[in-house]
Amino acid sequence: MTSSNQPNTMLYTFISTIIFLMHFIFIVSLPGHLKSPWALSKRRQALSPEQWRLLFTLEGRFHDGGVRFLKKVRSEGVAPSIRAEVWPFLLGVYELNSSEDDRCKLRIKKRGEYDKLRRRCQQIIEFNNNLKVNEVGVANKSGKDENNNNNVTGSADTEEDSGRESPRNEVNPSAEYSDDPTSALLKKDLSSRTATDVNTSTTDLNSDSSVEESRPFTSTENNKEKGSEVTSNENISTTEAQIKLTKKEDFITWQQIIRVDAIRANREWISYSPALAAVSDERARGFAEAVGLKDYSNLEPCMIFHAARLVALLEAYCLYDPEVGYCQGMSDLLSPIITVMTEDDEAFWCFVGFMKKARYNFKLDEVGIRRQLSKVSMIIKCKDSQLFKHLEMLQAEDCFFVYRMVVVLFRRELTFEQTICLWEVMWADQAAIRAGIRNSVWSRIRHLALPTEDLLLYAIAASILQRRKLIIERYCSMDEIMRECNSMAGHLDVWKLLDDAHNLVFSLHDKVETP
């Protein structure tokens, strides 16, 4: 009986397998229904601490150069408890082929470089404060001498002088910051600096050679200019000091805007990081005092500490990358990083790695923003011609309505945890490309979406395509579409979004990717 049933069982299994394969081939062959493996498989657990440890050899190298690690992260994410260990690899702080000894030496070096940047921040602030005190003293002495000589100016002149005093250091918080800035406000912030400001700010930010060597963004011309202007802070004449201060005006302005943004940072991270949320009042206020942060009387200790860390790291970044400096929105990108990375120097270098690509969102010429909006438009056009024609009719085919999503990388549309999940997958793609394993591994696996530098843009396009019916049937202007995009906050499924994004990469990669 058993022997007679065995062939039937095998035949049934064989037929079932054939039917499944035929069904799969039929589905993936339908136009517009090409699916990636992400949409066909049930999502498993994120990379766990146990799996993470098993990826390394005894000397701390990845067994396979990091291939299994990146494949796991880009399809399933990272467990929260090991993110602080994993992120430096994803963000390029550590090379995938490095050993534990290599990383230990690098940590020491990078900690020293960060400390030097922070010391330079303090020197600029102290120099500016001292010069302002001297200016006030000179003004008071001059006024006293004039009174003694009966040359008292009129009230109108006095008011004019008062209004002229240190105008470069005045910041209007309401003008510079919005809790939910629209695309126009962000664009205005990007356009607020001139090319002259950028060049002059770059010329004076002198540092030790070790810091200069680690800074990849300053132009060769500016580096030469720096080399010719290195001077000691000692025995500097008043005229030289005033010139030096003028070249630091950008930093002082960035510093003031950073402090406004830091104080108004949201509280979403608190429930995610109980250890940082439990910081003592003494420690929080001590750190705030160390970075010169004030006006926080209405904040609880954890928010004071969070704001002070934002100030410290963002000021250091302004010196590291003076071409970009600080723009509103950068604090949104840093906040998740300092929540995961508890050591400031490690958080800083992770942020630097993040900004190697994101910095182009904040440049004055907006070339990076325009390129990304154009690519989102192209993805939508290739995937859904009907939706694209509707956008053309509304004169919205340039996709400016997703401007905010591009600038702050979906940070305003996703929850804190969702943002981290999206960024980790995006970083894994970029790490695979940096390591040169983009084609050597994934191209051999049939129907698998290749890593891309622009996974974020595919995700943005996917979020619009998910609402195609609503946009086509109800919306008659770009403003209405922009309001719909802004209303996505808290209503997106990040893994469904990533599935759809990978599907778009798989089906459209050859059409929209530049060689």
Side-chain angles (χ1 to χ4, degrees):
M1 187 72 179
T2 303
S3 59
S4 62
N5 283 338
Q6 187 172 2
N8 292 334
T9 302
M10 294 176 62
L11 180 63
Y12 175 79
T13 303
F14 176 75
I15 293 173
S16 299
T17 303
I18 293 297
I19 292 173
F20 173 80
L21 290 174
M22 291 178 66
H23 176 72
F24 173 77
I25 293 170
F26 173 74
I27 290 296
V28 300
S29 65
L30 289 176
H33 290 82
L34 206 57
K35 299 295 182 181
S36 76
W38 283 271
L40 297 175
S41 61
K42 184 177 179 181
R43 193 170 307 285
R44 300 184 296 276
Q45 291 183 345
L47 178 68
S48 67
E50 295 76 17
Q51 292 170 327
W52 172 244
R53 287 192 291 271
L54 291 173
L55 292 173
F56 292 93
T57 65
L58 292 177
E59 62 176 1
R61 298 183 189 272
F62 283 112
H63 283 289
D64 58 356
V67 174
R68 279 176 26 191
F69 159 58
L70 295 178
K71 288 172 68 175
K72 179 75 173 178
V73 174
R74 74 191 296 255
S75 61
E76 296 160 26
V78 180
S81 62
I82 56 172
R83 278 176 170 150
E85 299 176 53
V86 171
W87 282 14
F89 290 94
L90 294 179
L91 289 165
V93 180
Y94 300 150
E95 297 291 339
L96 292 178
N97 61 356
S98 63
S99 67
E100 177 58 38
D101 185 55
D102 294 334
R103 297 191 290 273
C104 183
K105 292 176 182 176
L106 184 63
R107 279 194 296 270
I108 295 171
K109 177 185 176 183
K110 291 294 186 183
R111 185 178 299 120
E113 292 176 4
Y114 172 74
D115 289 343
K116 289 174 184 176
L117 287 168
R118 283 302 310 156
R119 286 196 295 271
R120 289 171 59 207
C121 290
Q122 293 300 121
Q123 289 170 358
I124 294 173
I125 295 168
E126 290 170 5
F127 183 83
N128 180 66
N129 290 339
N130 291 337
L131 194 58
K132 283 197 296 183
V133 169
N134 292 336
E135 287 174 350
V136 171
V138 171
N140 289 339
K141 185 177 184 301
S142 176
K144 183 176 180 180
D145 291 342
E146 288 175 353
N147 286 333
N148 291 338
N149 293 323
N150 296 320
N151 291 327
V152 181
T153 59
S155 59
D157 293 336
T158 304
E159 290 175 2
E160 183 181 355
D161 291 341
S162 176
R164 255 196 327 262
E165 185 176 346
S166 300
R168 59 180 170 269
N169 295 324
E170 294 175 4
V171 175
N172 182 348
S174 62
E176 299 290 350
Y177 184 92
S178 167
D179 288 328
D180 186 19
T182 62
S183 301
L185 284 176
L186 284 168
K187 190 173 184 180
K188 178 181 178 182
D189 187 61
L190 283 169
S191 304
S192 64
R193 295 164 293 157
T194 65
T196 302
D197 291 334
V198 172
N199 290 333
T200 56
S201 70
T202 309
T203 60
D204 187 57
L205 301 175
N206 310 308
S207 71
D208 298 274
S209 59
S210 60
V211 178
E212 290 295 335
E213 289 170 2
S214 70
R215 184 183 306 147
F217 305 132
T218 307
S219 68
T220 304
E221 180 180 350
N222 286 336
N223 278 335
K224 290 178 181 178
E225 198 171 357
K226 281 187 190 135
S228 65
E229 293 199 14
V230 175
T231 59
S232 171
N233 287 331
E234 300 176 1
N235 302 322
I236 225 170
S237 70
T238 303
T239 303
E240 289 174 326
Q242 289 172 341
I243 293 172
K244 200 172 182 67
L245 177 63
T246 301
K247 294 174 182 178
K248 293 186 176 76
E249 287 182 3
D250 281 343
F251 179 82
I252 301 302
T253 301
W254 293 331
Q255 178 198 48
Q256 292 176 326
I257 301 173
I258 287 169
R259 287 158 193 258
V260 172
D261 285 4
I263 290 294
R264 298 186 183 183
N266 67 54
R267 303 164 46 85
E268 191 179 7
W269 65 271
I270 292 178
S271 59
Y272 179 82
S273 182
L276 290 176
V279 66
S280 68
D281 184 72
E282 181 181 4
R283 184 184 179 195
R285 293 180 183 277
F287 192 19
E289 182 178 352
V291 299
L293 181 64
K294 302 176 182 178
D295 303 323
Y296 53 76
S297 57
N298 60 331
L299 297 181
E300 57 193 297
C302 65
M303 291 303 296
I304 297 172
F305 189 68
H306 186 73
R309 294 188 73 199
L310 285 173
V311 168
L313 272 69
L314 289 170
E315 285 182 355
Y317 186 79
C318 287
L319 295 188
Y320 181 85
D321 185 6
E323 184 184 6
V324 170
Y326 178 77
C327 288
Q328 186 182 355
M330 288 169 64
S331 59
D332 289 298
L333 304 187
L334 177 57
S335 186
I337 293 177
I338 65 173
T339 301
V340 169
M341 310 296 295
T342 57
E343 297 296 326
D344 285 354
D345 58 297
E346 294 177 2
F348 175 78
W349 293 112
C350 282
F351 184 62
V352 167
F354 191 6
M355 288 295 292
K356 283 181 180 178
K357 183 172 178 64
R359 68 187 295 270
Y360 297 101
N361 294 354
F362 303 98
K363 291 194 69 174
L364 178 66
D365 57 20
E366 294 192 293
V367 171
I369 291 291
R370 288 196 297 270
R371 182 200 72 81
Q372 292 177 85
L373 293 177
S374 176
K375 188 158 187 176
V376 173
S377 175
M378 188 183 302
I379 294 169
I380 293 174
K381 181 179 181 179
C382 291
K383 183 63 178 179
D384 193 325
S385 59
Q386 183 183 3
L387 174 58
F388 187 78
K389 287 178 182 177
H390 182 71
L391 295 178
E392 283 185 313
M393 184 182 67
L394 303 182
Q395 297 184 333
E397 71 274 13
D398 60 359
C399 290
F400 186 77
F401 51 86
V402 299
Y403 187 99
R404 186 179 75 176
M405 294 182 189
V406 172
V407 171
V408 290
L409 291 83
F410 256 124
R411 180 66 191 91
R412 298 297 178 92
E413 286 69 36
L414 298 172
T415 66
F416 193 89
E417 177 64 24
Q418 286 177 329
T419 298
I420 289 176
C421 290
L422 174 67
W423 288 359
E424 284 173 340
V425 176
M426 178 181 72
W427 294 338
D429 266 21
Q430 294 168 2
I433 294 170
R434 281 197 309 272
I437 57 177
R438 177 180 184 179
N439 297 320
S440 63
V441 175
W442 280 277
S443 62
R444 296 202 301 267
I445 304 175
R446 190 179 181 184
H447 300 314
L448 190 59
L450 291 173
T452 171
E453 289 278 6
D454 291 322
L455 183 61
L456 172 78
L457 306 184
Y458 286 95
I460 290 172
S463 71
I464 302 304
L465 290 165
Q466 287 176 358
R467 287 158 174 75
R468 67 174 304 279
K469 184 176 180 181
L470 185 65
I471 292 172
I472 292 173
E473 294 181 356
R474 295 190 186 180
Y475 296 150
C476 302
S477 71
M478 190 179 76
D479 288 341
E480 289 180 318
I481 302 176
M482 186 175 290
R483 282 195 293 272
E484 175 63 26
C485 291
N486 292 341
S487 70
M488 290 180 187
H491 300 286
L492 288 169
D493 179 338
V494 68
W495 288 110
K496 174 65 167 62
L497 189 68
L498 282 166
D499 283 344
D500 289 351
H502 280 125
N503 291 340
L504 289 173
V505 174
F506 177 53
S507 60
L508 302 177
H509 184 274
D510 294 336
K511 297 179 182 178
V512 301
E513 291 285 329
T514 55

